[in-house]
Amino acid sequence: GSTVEVDPGVEVDEEIAEDDLLGGLKIDSTEDIEVPDRLVDQVIGQDEARDIIIKAAKQRRHVMMIGSPGTGKSMLAKAMSQLLPKEDLQDVLVYHNPDDGNEPKVRTVPAGKGEQIIDAHKEEARKRNQMRSILMWIIIAIVIGYAILSGNILLGVVAAGIIWLIFRYTSRGTDAMVPNMIVNNGDQRVAPFEDATGAHAGALLGDVRHDPFQSGGMETPSHDRVEPGSIHKANKGVLFVDEINTLDIRTQQKLMTAIQEGEFAITGQSERSSGAMVQTEPVPCDFIMVAAGNLDAMENMHPALRNRIKGYGYEVYMDDTIEDTPEMRRKYARFIAQEVERDGRLPHFTDDAVEEVILEAKRRSGRKNHLTLLFRSLGGLVRVAGDIARAEDREFTTRDDVLQAKQRSRSIEQQLADDYIERRKDYELQVNEGGVEGRVNGLAVMGEDSGIMLPVMAEIAPAQGGGQVIATGQLKEMAEESVQNVSAIIKKFSDVDLSEKDIHIQFVQAGQQGVDGDSASITVATAVISALENIPVDQSIAMTGSLSVRGDVLPVGGVTHKIEAAAKAGCSRVIIPEANEQDVMIEEEYEDMIEIIPCSNISEVLDVALMGEPKKDSLVDRLKSITGSAFDQGAVG
Ligand code: ADP
């Protein structure tokens, strides 16, 4: 269903919806937006996953969700539990087994019944204790009475004491009658939802506690030490396991058995504990499994378990972005209302604060006409902004709060990158003016949402043997590939025989971790050509782009963050692939700091980046004649 669930009472102006950030929604604040009751109706985007969850809930099928964190996997699993019938719910009781204390009995009763049974047993035990007490006092009275009559009071008191001790010592036996309710669904209004992400074996499969007093009347009866696992608590409901591959293989195997059998006996999980001697009768665990993870997780999970879920259920991929439409924008406004309501303490957002969040959602998508579906982090932004307003006791969260929050809720990578830029300024590793031969300010992405300037130096030396590319560090492969691509071009316009040269490539990054340099091939190419032809590169320019063997500049990821990094590093111009032009969504503050130059061909890149007119012009002219379409006629490589 894709009808807008935004409060029908709220006016939507279809005329202005097209370019309005609120999608035509006419509200003063998110207070005016009604939040749907059912969790499944609160889910934004992910239509396919949503449909599958609804279908799987009806058919009681397992589901595997693959996708990025924070896109709603656990939310959907929880929503699924709300869709399951609650009539099926059960309580589970563990009883003492008089025949074998190490094999407690298990009984399943309809939800709510368990409480009654326990109460009845407690009442019975209480009565029995009362009777014992009365009996004891009668016997003591008789003994003392007899002692008084026979004149031997001391003996009588001693005997009475012994009788009292005997009764006290044996009274524990009556506790054994009261069963241990390990699953209590008496107050449960919807089917259970258990999140077993990162659970250890005991928490997942149940456990029997160790008993330090294993004999001598002080021991706790074994059935009282039985603890349920998530699989048992999820009976008739949903068991959610994210990062499923992090469960160890043996546990995954047991989980599979539990899924197959629909019941799983509880035993002590630590081998040397007294709990390991205890094993209950099978305990029901008839749950629907929702397993989640990223693609990697799927590859590393136990193949039999995966097949089981696949064979008896659905697999669905979660989207990271969604097309930006007026309807979606209205839903994003509702998202803020949802998060505000869920938190309970945040002030509602004014309309322009909502607009700012939607802008950020656009920006974070990194795609033209799309909005990000990474809602957890967007929710983080909402909370930080709301907290700022709340700290100042304001009635509403404003646009300014959102802007401040954006600054504050920078990811670790962003903070690292900023810190790094600062440090490099200190060391003067950063060059953003003048011309240098063989040195280019490249740009790379760190983490998911931050860019960093990554200078590249190329040096050409006569070959020691056959000419080779000498690069160091984690970007070695990429460097070699870039040089290969550019050498096809160089062959066409230069007399230099690269097979007689060694090309040294250095990334001036001093071991920076987590840098993705996959998209630096125009940088390497520019550095090599500059070094080869002795033409300096303008250091006020930074660049990013991938290079084809034909000399085309191909699109890359993360342009927005890269451009911002270049601006922060003090560059005044930045070259990006023309095909990425539509992905640029830089923050206002950077717009005046840096000029963006889209290029589609290496000759254009060099035209912009190289300095020293006559030499450069002749080089670019030669290049123009051989790259692009003209290059088609020439042989490649
Ligand atoms: P995942 O399990 O995919 O890591 P979660 O379901 O835990 O993500 O999402 C975290 C929070 O982000 C949710 O509790 C909810 O507030 C919000 N959220 C995530 N995805 C969505 C979505 N598709 N629609 C609305 N809110 C979402």
Side-chain angles (χ1 to χ4, degrees):
S2 61
T3 50
V4 199
E5 291 94 359
V6 162
D7 181 10
V10 173
E11 237 178 290
V12 173
D13 194 333
E14 289 300 339
E15 295 262 299
I16 59 162
E18 239 7 90
D19 355 274
D20 179 26
L21 267 175
L22 293 179
L25 203 61
K26 287 164 96 185
I27 51 164
D28 293 328
S29 79
T30 48
E31 209 172 0
D32 303 336
I33 300 174
E34 196 179 305
V35 173
D37 291 334
R38 296 194 314 172
L39 205 51
V40 70
D41 299 324
Q42 292 183 13
V43 175
I44 296 164
Q46 315 297 358
D47 279 352
E48 201 190 336
R50 211 171 145 255
D51 288 350
I52 281 180
I53 282 291
I54 294 170
K55 205 164 15 159
K58 271 197 202 117
Q59 305 168 343
R60 296 194 64 84
R61 301 290 183 128
H62 305 299
V63 179
M64 171 106 78
M65 285 192 245
I66 304 162
S68 307
T71 47
K73 297 185 292 295
S74 113
M75 187 179 185
L76 276 162
K78 194 165 185 184
M80 187 181 192
S81 69
Q82 295 181 350
L83 299 175
L84 293 172
K86 88 164 267 253
E87 302 86 67
D88 294 347
L89 300 191
Q90 299 169 327
D91 292 339
V92 179
L93 301 153
V94 182
Y95 287 78
H96 172 64
N97 180 352
D99 297 333
D100 183 351
N102 280 334
E103 206 180 309
K105 291 186 171 302
V106 172
R107 294 287 170 269
T108 307
V109 295
K113 248 299 182 345
E115 197 107 35
Q116 295 170 15
I117 293 174
I118 297 279
D119 286 348
H121 274 282
K122 278 193 181 147
E123 178 62 17
E124 203 180 314
R126 196 185 59 79
K127 275 198 194 131
R128 203 183 269 216
N129 274 335
Q130 211 170 26
M131 293 298 290
R132 279 168 57 90
S133 220
I134 291 168
L135 185 67
M136 178 185 80
W137 287 115
I138 290 172
I139 295 174
I140 288 174
I142 292 170
V143 167
I144 291 186
Y146 185 76
I148 290 170
L149 287 180
S150 62
N152 200 342
I153 293 180
L154 187 64
L155 193 67
V157 170
V158 171
I162 290 172
I163 290 165
W164 183 82
L165 275 176
I166 290 172
F167 268 87
R168 234 204 101 83
Y169 216 48
T170 56
S171 77
R172 297 197 146 266
T174 60
D175 290 346
M177 294 179 355
V178 181
N180 170 15
M181 177 155 51
I182 56 169
V183 178
N184 182 356
N185 277 319
D187 296 328
Q188 193 74 25
R189 265 174 290 142
V190 287
F193 166 75
E194 283 292 321
D195 185 345
T197 304
H200 56 88
L204 182 67
L205 305 167
D207 208 346
V208 180
R209 279 199 313 278
H210 179 66
D211 183 7
F213 312 104
Q214 286 169 45
S215 60
M218 293 282 279
E219 72 264 31
T220 310
S222 63
H223 79 278
D224 252 351
R225 290 188 276 123
V226 172
E227 288 172 349
S230 300
I231 58 168
H232 306 111
K233 289 190 268 189
N235 186 33
K236 304 293 176 192
V238 172
L239 181 76
F240 176 68
V241 187
D242 203 351
E243 294 162 25
I244 178 98
N245 57 310
T246 60
L247 284 179
D248 73 72
I249 288 293
R250 272 179 54 200
T251 310
Q252 289 193 43
Q253 241 149 11
K254 289 181 185 168
L255 182 60
M256 192 166 68
T257 310
I259 291 174
Q260 271 164 353
E261 309 284 328
E263 51 180 30
F264 198 80
I266 298 176
T267 185
Q269 297 287 342
S270 49
E271 264 150 37
R272 268 169 304 166
S273 115
S274 63
M277 300 187 316
V278 178
Q279 182 167 34
T280 67
E281 289 181 342
V283 179
C285 60
D286 177 21
F287 55 80
I288 294 174
M289 168 106 174
V290 179
N294 53 23
L295 267 180
D296 245 22
M298 296 308 113
E299 272 158 28
N300 295 328
M301 97 186 254
H302 195 300
L305 180 60
R306 173 153 191 209
N307 281 339
R308 181 86 205 167
I309 298 177
K310 216 172 168 178
Y312 293 82
Y314 300 98
E315 280 189 328
V316 60
Y317 200 86
M318 305 290 286
D319 298 324
D320 281 351
T321 61
I322 192 158
E323 207 182 306
D324 178 12
T325 62
E327 183 193 337
M328 261 350 265
R329 290 177 182 183
R330 296 196 288 267
K331 287 193 179 178
Y332 273 63
R334 195 194 73 206
F335 165 74
I336 299 171
Q338 282 171 195
E339 295 294 306
V340 166
E341 238 173 59
R342 187 162 307 157
D343 185 275
R345 290 170 310 175
L346 306 176
H348 273 287
F349 281 50
T350 60
D351 52 354
D352 53 354
V354 173
E355 285 178 350
E356 198 57 49
V357 174
I358 291 173
L359 264 182
E360 180 67 10
K362 268 174 88 68
R363 217 174 86 79
R364 289 189 184 183
S365 77
R367 266 178 92 181
K368 189 189 183 184
N369 291 334
H370 277 74
L371 296 161
T372 180
L373 284 170
L374 303 183
F375 278 112
R376 183 180 295 135
S377 61
L378 202 61
L381 178 69
V382 168
R383 269 183 297 282
V384 174
D387 275 341
I388 294 171
R390 196 167 75 95
E392 291 173 17
D393 257 342
R394 276 187 272 108
E395 196 188 344
F396 291 107
T397 307
T398 63
R399 175 163 182 269
D400 264 355
D401 299 329
V402 177
L403 290 175
Q404 256 194 61
K406 271 206 280 193
Q407 202 52 36
R408 273 196 216 175
S409 64
R410 290 176 310 163
S411 70
I412 298 288
E413 282 89 357
Q414 260 171 309
Q415 294 177 33
L416 262 177
D418 285 354
D419 183 52
Y420 191 58
I421 288 169
E422 278 307 306
R423 261 189 302 147
R424 299 219 312 191
K425 270 185 190 150
D426 294 346
Y427 292 124
E428 289 175 3
L429 277 171
Q430 215 134 274
V431 184
N432 53 28
E433 52 187 23
V436 181
E437 278 173 27
R439 187 188 191 282
V440 178
N441 284 319
L443 295 164
V445 175
M446 246 177 104
E448 267 172 17
D449 58 357
S450 49
I452 188 160
M453 198 152 94
L454 184 68
V456 174
M457 309 258 246
E459 220 164 291
I460 315 283
Q464 307 288 355
Q468 50 180 324
V469 180
I470 300 151
T472 46
Q474 52 189 331
L475 302 177
K476 188 168 163 29
E477 251 172 57
M478 189 276 302
E480 283 167 1
E481 207 182 298
S482 314
V483 173
Q484 215 134 55
N485 284 359
V486 73
S487 63
I489 298 162
I490 290 170
K491 258 189 212 153
K492 289 272 148 194
F493 77 87
S494 171
D495 306 330
V496 183
D497 185 357
L498 279 181
S499 67
E500 288 167 8
K501 304 279 179 192
D502 280 345
I503 302 177
H504 295 257
I505 297 192
Q506 191 202 351
F507 292 89
V508 192
Q509 49 138 3
Q512 187 66 13
Q513 286 296 305
V515 172
D516 166 23
D518 204 32
S519 47
S521 51
I522 63 160
T523 316
V524 173
T526 305
V528 170
I529 291 175
S530 155
L532 206 60
E533 302 282 315
N534 301 108
I535 306 176
V537 178
D538 186 343
Q539 299 298 307
S540 69
I541 287 182
M543 63 175 76
T544 179
S546 198
L547 182 67
S548 80
V549 279
R550 293 160 36 106
D552 296 320
V553 177
L554 306 175
V556 296
V559 273
T560 297
H561 304 299
K562 287 174 177 169
I563 295 170
E564 290 179 358
K568 275 189 220 168
C571 291
S572 56
R573 289 186 291 167
V574 58
I575 294 172
I576 63 163
E578 201 171 82
N580 279 125
E581 216 180 339
Q582 55 186 19
D583 303 327
V584 177
M585 271 166 283
I586 61 171
E587 305 253 22
E588 251 168 61
E589 57 179 298
Y590 298 114
E591 269 167 20
D592 298 334
M593 290 169 67
I594 196 154
E595 184 193 348
I596 299 167
I597 307 168
C599 291
S600 62
N601 189 284
I602 186 74
S603 57
E604 291 169 50
V605 172
L606 295 174
D607 197 6
V608 175
L610 297 184
M611 298 169 94
E613 286 336 323
K615 231 172 161 185
K616 177 189 111 174
D617 288 346
S618 104
L619 171 75
V620 172
D621 283 346
R622 270 180 288 152
L623 257 178
K624 270 188 191 149
S625 66
I626 57 137
T627 56
S629 53
F631 199 61
D632 282 341
Q633 283 108 52
V636 172

